Amino acid sequence: MPMSLAQRLTLARTESGFTEAAEAARKAGVTPSALYQLEDGTTKSLSGQTAVKLGRIYPEFRLEWLIDGSGPQRRDDPLPSASYSETPPGYVRFRVMEGEASGGYGVVNDDFPEVVQEMDVAEWQVRSQIGFVPEKDRVKLVTVRGDSMYPDIKNGDVVMVDVRREFFDGDGIYLINLNGYTLVKRLQMLPDGLHVISTNAKYRSQVIPPSDIESIHVAGRVLGAALMRRAEEF
């Protein structure tokens, strides 16, 4: 019978040399009450952020196993073998787009980037970044070059793009093609037209009047950046 979350965390704590939950909690930087509730079963799920903190003091145990019991228990245990076409248990596979998008004045691509490779990311990390696990091929990755979206998006960041949202559906950051240039920009609809906005103040915003709205093509909405951080306003 699979171990419960409470059993997994209690085992990891005791085998990591912590007799008392309060001692482990202080060492990890979480409140003792939070760890007590996890270990007695009151709290039924372990967040990615708390798992990372506990993982630092339970170094022999895999975060995926701590969170949901998937895969091997120990970091040194071999992962289940999987062919290239299979996604390992506890991971989400993202397709990586060819080419780059500009966070500057623009990158010319023949069309919107095509898939050239794939990347597997731990499911718990995906949930902590964007709040859900996307359906296959709904979210794709693309690299951003330039500093026009700094500090929201930095040069070299990889952004997660919801390619099902190929339309403007409210203020936010989008992957777009404008006059042949592939860009990542904030879009905002105002009475005078659609504003294409750079976060970095040294770049001017552009206004697309209502009569020219068709000149802009939306390829998807950006959900987060760099896979290690999430901008709430995305």
Side-chain angles (χ1 to χ4, degrees), residues 104-126:
Y105 292 106
V107 171
V108 177
N109 289 323
D110 292 335
D111 197 352
F112 281 104
E114 297 295 334
V115 172
V116 293
Q117 60 182 6
E118 297 174 329
M119 179 183 296
D120 294 332
V121 181
E123 183 176 311
W124 68 265
Q125 191 178 44
V126 174

Side-chain angles (χ1 to χ4, degrees), residues 4-225:
S4 66
L5 172 62
Q7 291 171 327
R8 294 194 302 273
L9 293 180
T10 301
L11 174 67
R13 172 176 57 79
T14 56
E15 293 203 6
S16 298
F18 296 97
T19 304
E20 299 294 334
E23 178 189 6
R26 285 191 291 270
K27 186 74 171 178
V30 301
T31 62
S33 62
L35 189 53
Y36 286 139
Q37 291 174 8
L38 285 163
E39 289 194 4
D40 69 14
T42 302
T43 302
K44 303 296 185 183
S45 62
L46 177 62
S47 71
Q49 184 178 14
T50 301
V52 169
K53 291 180 178 180
L54 292 175
R56 295 191 185 109
I57 65 168
Y58 305 158
E60 294 185 8
F61 295 86
R62 296 178 63 252
L63 295 184
E64 293 84 356
W65 182 81
L66 290 175
I67 292 171
D68 59 16
S70 63
Q73 181 183 114
R74 310 274 177 164
R75 292 182 188 271
D76 293 338
D77 293 339
L79 290 169
S81 60
S83 69
Y84 178 78
S85 61
E86 297 174 338
T87 304
Y91 285 78
V92 180
R93 180 159 293 176
F94 292 97
R95 295 181 183 272
V96 180
M97 294 178 172
E98 181 181 7
E100 299 171 340
S102 176
Y105 292 106
V107 171
V108 177
N109 289 323
D110 292 335
D111 197 352
F112 281 104
E114 297 295 334
V115 172
V116 293
Q117 60 182 6
E118 297 174 329
M119 179 183 296
D120 294 332
V121 181
E123 183 176 311
W124 68 265
Q125 191 178 44
V126 174
R127 289 186 185 277
S128 70
Q129 289 153 7
I130 65 175
F132 67 98
V133 175
E135 302 168 18
K136 183 179 179 181
D137 292 337
R138 173 176 173 177
V139 174
K140 297 182 181 180
L141 309 180
V142 66
T143 302
V144 179
R145 299 297 180 190
D147 64 350
S148 75
M149 295 305 292
Y150 181 86
D152 290 338
I153 300 173
K154 300 177 182 178
N155 180 43
D157 272 354
V158 174
V159 294
M160 308 175 77
V161 181
D162 185 347
V163 296
R164 300 274 181 89
R165 296 162 81 173
E166 296 181 287
F167 50 89
F168 176 80
D169 65 346
D171 296 353
I173 298 178
Y174 293 82
L175 176 66
I176 64 173
N177 187 283
L178 179 62
N179 299 323
Y181 291 95
T182 303
L183 306 164
V184 169
K185 297 290 182 183
R186 186 178 298 278
L187 301 183
Q188 183 179 28
M189 185 66 75
L190 294 173
D192 60 339
L194 184 65
H195 287 235
V196 181
I197 303 168
S198 298
T199 306
N200 191 333
K202 77 177 185 180
Y203 292 85
R204 292 183 179 180
S205 298
Q206 183 175 354
V207 181
I208 310 298
S211 59
D212 294 336
I213 290 294
E214 291 186 359
S215 67
I216 186 170
H217 179 86
V218 175
R221 184 160 184 162
V222 174
L223 302 177

